[in-house]
Amino acid sequence: MKFLSLPKLMIALALSLLAGLAMAAAPSQIVIDQGWTFRLAPGNAQLGKHAEAAPWHTATVPGTVHTDLLAHKLIPDPYAGAPEAGLQWIGLADWEYRTVFDAPQAAIGSARSDLVFEGLDTFAEVWLNGARVLDANNAFRTWRVPVQGKLRAKGNELRIVFRSPIAKLLPQVRGMPVKLAGNYPSPYGDEPVDAMTGNFVRKPGYHFGWDWGPRYVTAGIAKPVVLQSWDTARIDNLQLRQDRVSSERADVAAIVSIDAVRAGGLALRLWQTAPDGKRTLAAEHRVELKAGINRIELPLHIDQPQRWYPHGYGAQPLYRYEVQLGDGQSAIAGATARTGLRSVELRREVDAKGKSFYFAVNGIPVFAKGANTIPFDMFQPRVGKAQLRRVLQSAVDANMNMVRSWGGGYYESDDFFDLADELGLMVWQDFMFGGGMQPAYDDAFRANVVQEARDQVRRLRNHPSLVLWCGNNEEEIAWKYWGHGKTMKEADPALAERVWKGYVQLFGSDLRQVVAEEGGGVKYWASSPGDDLAEVANTPASGDMHYWEVWGNPAHPVTKYLEITPRFMSEYGLQAWPVQRTVDAFATRAEQGLATPVIEAHQKFMAGKGNERLLKYVREEFGEPADFAGFVYLSQAMQAEGIELAALHHRASRPYTMGSLYWQLNDVWPGASWSSVDWFGRWKALQFHARRFYAPVAVAALRDAKGTTTVSLLNDRTYAVHGELRLRVLGLDGKTLRDERKQVELAPLSATRFRDYADAGLLGKADPAATVAVFDLQVEGEPASRGAVYFAPARQVKWGDAGLRAELRRDGAGLVLEVTAARLARAVWIDFVDLDAELSDNALTLLPGERVQLRVTSAAGEGALRAALHIRSLADAVRMQ
């Protein structure tokens, strides 16, 4: 046997001890996503009618009750046909989830172990090995439960019981003599129409139904369940606060939050990886930690930083930071974060008419072009990054630079914000209050919301795309102008005062303070639309606006958009059905009709009668659809042309108006809605139009109800551009009545009013119902921009056969579709019926004799595409009088 000398023995023992310390200190994390089962909770009132859900069934975690039931074919597809009424029992039931897991030795022996729940939806009782360890009541919070000393090496039972939010809250709501105003009452009898529970629970509001989606009050483990264990310390959060960013230098504070088991000294290192991949040690410090939460601030200075810009203004370089905490021998804990370096301001400048509202990024005033986003599915856990990428890339492809993440759904995922960072999409983020009024007068409710806000602001604050936090959607104007406040004041003045004071406390003070403390300099806005709690809200003079008097009440014609000039239009919209292929996915052709049950089930506006409103707008411009397919097509043409009119008016009103976000970009399911991209990711006509009306350089030719056409030249580039503006007045058959060209210069970041034209000045003696004025702007390096002006509603025009011809052929780069028209062809739409194919452009207006070439991308073969090719224009869809 070989013996070590004493010095060598001491060294070996020291190394052994260090190795043991390193092993003990190494953080351990396991995701508990296997072996889950679920069932209808015992003793539930729904058992009598739904005994099939009583046995244990396998479950997917993260997931929802609805998707688990669907996986076992215990319910029909919630999106196909009209099953909604028959599925409301799910939201009235209690559900139980269970799994058994083994704890690793590191977790058993560690000084600290936490179970972390990122998304329990919503009233959840959590049991570990028979002991109740958590009562959760907020789907938007992260719940951290200490479980050291409660774990076994083998066979830990984790059980979660989800209580029905309706059943739990309904007695309380029913007992209120005067009830808070809710959003959309259930048409199915699962809760009374005068006792809505949705605004009393911190759960996605859209689950209770909205005017673009179904009512599926789901429950479940919506995000991962994680067991975290550590001996010495863990890094809770790494914030990258940008204190000053210019072209010469960026001053950033890397703020590390450390949860230490005990006091002691450790080494803290921070590495920076620049956008070019170069990795450097940015900071190194010895830190003395106290037991509990520690906040360490490391100053960083980056010379000549590569700055992040919104889409259309520059590139999106991203810096990555990695922090490590160690004892000199090994890493104890680590964290990474990514950001883009930029300055962002919400500028509120007083002028003669009121107060501005616009965003400046790196000192550049940015006209915000984009749309509102809603949840991407009724069941959040099945939204994948590919789906998000497809829709957000579609936004960028349509020249958008901002999306507003609306407050009636859920806080979007890290994937959503990572993609927004990479694509250059600014994000206006609402807190999750979608409408109605909530019990903010209750201290416990408000405290719950404040913790929710801290969780979410801390999670998202490093993203350069995040430019605004907004308290809520439409709650202030509902109280002030929709009768909510007036009704309550008449019924119970004391309660009304408490409700409004609670509202002001939550949205005027509490959330503002959270954003100021945690948000890293991003601004807070109390409500949309609003003027940050000024007396008057939703005014063109100051703040942001929602405008729904077109489409909503009193359903003005689309030309009314031209009479409203806001500082920033954050909501406006027109509805349309998705493309025929999407309609076919949930309704057979025999089930399709203006008032058939399945179609009404997928039309949520006016409780299923929204096609009446939609038909009103279609008839006003186009006349009577020839059939349901024609109605679908015309609804899209109406939506696209109407939103184009509004968006171009907003852009032409720059710098008074500095934002145009239409409602809405995406869909939560397949059905009629205000979206421009449907649930499958297919573009409606509006999305193709948006690419043109949001183009950086464009012409706006806007004819008002009095017969005056105003032509403006739009330039969002940071530099001047030169080009040619051409005016042609044409007959529908192609006869040229007028042809003029003029060289024009467009100043940077501007809208230039070029000229106003009276109808008589453009038409002369030509027939208004057979003539069009066409304005074409050509600027080198920019896509051509066109504005077509019609002098009579389309329903009064005798279009005749447009003589559309289409030829599909292959060249060296792929498939090309060449389209020509003999006469003027308005709203040309090309599809391939049952085949999915993407076209480089669509929803076109072709002049007589004009020829366009479109790229076609599809998994289908050339022969199949040629056989399925279908092309139409207005002349094919309107029932001739």
Side-chain angles (χ1 to χ4, degrees), residues 508-797:
S509 179
D510 293 349
L511 293 178
R512 192 184 305 275
Q513 182 176 346
V514 170
V515 174
E517 292 173 353
E518 307 282 3
V522 169
K523 295 298 183 183
Y524 173 80
W525 189 246
S527 181
S528 180
D531 195 15
D532 213 25
L533 281 174
E535 182 177 352
V536 178
N538 206 28
T539 168
S542 186
D544 72 309
M545 280 193 75
H546 294 187
Y547 185 69
W548 286 105
E549 291 187 10
V550 175
W551 179 266
N553 292 315
H556 287 307
V558 294
T559 51
K560 188 73 174 180
Y561 281 136
L562 301 179
E563 300 177 24
I564 306 299
T565 305
R567 295 296 188 161
F568 192 109
M569 189 66 87
S570 49
E571 272 193 34
Y572 63 102
L574 291 165
Q575 205 192 67
W577 280 90
V579 298
Q580 186 66 53
R581 181 158 167 71
T582 295
V583 177
D584 291 343
F586 61 80
T588 66
R589 291 296 175 98
E591 293 171 324
Q592 296 178 24
L594 280 171
T596 57
V598 173
I599 291 302
E600 287 196 344
H602 288 255
Q603 166 59 276
K604 292 301 176 182
F605 184 67
M606 293 172 58
K609 301 300 181 182
N611 282 345
E612 297 173 9
R613 180 67 52 83
L614 189 48
L615 188 58
K616 171 189 182 297
Y617 278 90
V618 168
R619 283 170 171 162
E620 282 181 353
E621 178 59 33
F622 301 119
E624 196 69 27
D627 50 24
F628 183 73
F631 171 67
V632 168
Y633 158 79
L634 290 173
S635 74
Q636 289 202 25
M638 179 278 298
Q639 178 195 40
E641 293 184 5
I643 298 302
E644 178 172 304
L645 185 76
L648 287 175
H649 169 61
H650 300 152
R651 293 191 66 191
S653 302
R654 179 180 186 150
Y656 186 88
T657 302
M658 286 296 289
S660 184
L661 308 179
Y662 64 76
W663 186 270
Q664 64 208 57
L665 177 62
N666 63 304
D667 269 336
V668 75
W669 79 326
S673 81
W674 295 259
S675 74
S676 55
V677 178
D678 75 24
W679 183 72
F680 289 100
R682 298 168 183 145
W683 286 25
K684 296 181 184 177
L686 172 55
Q687 190 73 7
F688 289 99
H689 277 244
R691 184 163 59 192
R692 298 191 282 267
F693 64 65
Y694 280 154
V697 177
V699 60
L702 307 175
R703 181 178 180 273
D704 64 22
K706 297 178 181 179
T708 297
T709 297
T710 300
V711 177
S712 300
L713 307 178
L714 315 174
N715 181 22
D716 286 346
R717 299 300 188 192
T718 56
Y719 47 85
V721 298
H722 305 267
E724 179 185 79
L725 180 66
R726 183 183 186 187
L727 162 62
R728 281 175 288 174
V729 180
L730 306 169
L732 299 184
D733 59 0
K735 182 179 179 181
T736 301
L737 306 177
R738 182 174 177 180
D739 193 342
E740 300 172 359
R741 300 171 187 259
K742 184 175 179 60
Q743 297 300 305
V744 293
E745 180 173 342
L746 284 66
L749 302 171
S750 71
T752 303
R753 190 160 179 162
F754 176 74
R755 185 175 170 184
D756 289 351
Y757 295 87
D759 281 358
L762 286 172
L763 281 169
K765 297 182 180 180
D767 180 0
T771 309
V772 61
V774 180
F775 296 86
D776 286 309
L777 177 64
Q778 294 278 355
V779 171
E780 186 176 355
E782 302 286 350
S785 178
R786 169 175 290 171
V789 176
Y790 302 95
F791 301 95
R795 68 180 185 276
Q796 296 177 4
V797 176

Side-chain angles (χ1 to χ4, degrees), residues 392-530:
L392 296 183
Q393 183 65 56
S394 292
V396 169
D397 291 344
N399 292 305
M400 297 183 188
N401 57 36
M402 177 179 272
V403 292
R404 172 177 172 244
S405 184
W406 168 80
Y410 47 76
Y411 300 94
E412 279 294 349
S413 65
D414 294 333
D415 285 342
F416 176 97
F417 279 90
D418 285 344
L419 288 166
D421 294 344
E422 294 161 13
L423 294 169
L425 283 171
M426 298 181 291
V427 180
W428 166 321
Q429 179 63 58
D430 284 358
F431 286 100
M432 289 302 111
F433 294 91
M437 189 59 76
Q438 69 298 307
Y441 51 79
D442 180 82
D443 291 344
F445 180 91
R446 239 180 20 257
N448 196 2
V449 172
V450 166
Q451 187 55 54
E452 161 197 323
R454 289 195 189 279
D455 287 350
Q456 296 297 338
V457 174
R458 287 173 178 171
R459 178 175 70 91
L460 298 174
R461 61 190 172 189
N462 289 331
H463 291 281
S465 55
L466 181 58
V467 299
L468 186 71
W469 282 100
C470 180
N472 66 70
N473 171 78
E474 297 187 341
E475 292 199 0
E476 182 178 348
I477 61 167
W479 181 264
K480 289 180 175 179
Y481 307 130
W482 295 358
H484 293 186
K486 182 175 182 291
T487 300
M488 183 168 283
K489 287 173 187 175
E490 292 172 350
D492 189 335
L495 177 60
E497 184 178 2
R498 286 181 61 215
V499 169
W500 182 245
K501 282 185 176 179
Y503 175 95
V504 173
Q505 178 65 37
L506 178 59
F507 296 111
S509 179
D510 293 349
L511 293 178
R512 192 184 305 275
Q513 182 176 346
V514 170
V515 174
E517 292 173 353
E518 307 282 3
V522 169
K523 295 298 183 183
Y524 173 80
W525 189 246
S527 181
S528 180

Side-chain angles (χ1 to χ4, degrees), residues 327-348:
D327 60 4
Q329 299 295 324
S330 60
I332 291 172
T336 61
R338 190 179 73 167
T339 195
L341 301 176
R342 88 287 183 261
S343 67
V344 59
E345 306 165 73
L346 174 61
R347 291 185 178 174
R348 310 290 326 283

Side-chain angles (χ1 to χ4, degrees), residues 117 120 124-127 131-137 143-145:
F117 304 90
L120 295 176
E125 303 161 7
V126 180
W127 302 73
R132 191 161 171 170
V133 295
L134 173 66
D135 284 289
N137 62 352
W143 302 93
R144 181 176 287 276
V145 182

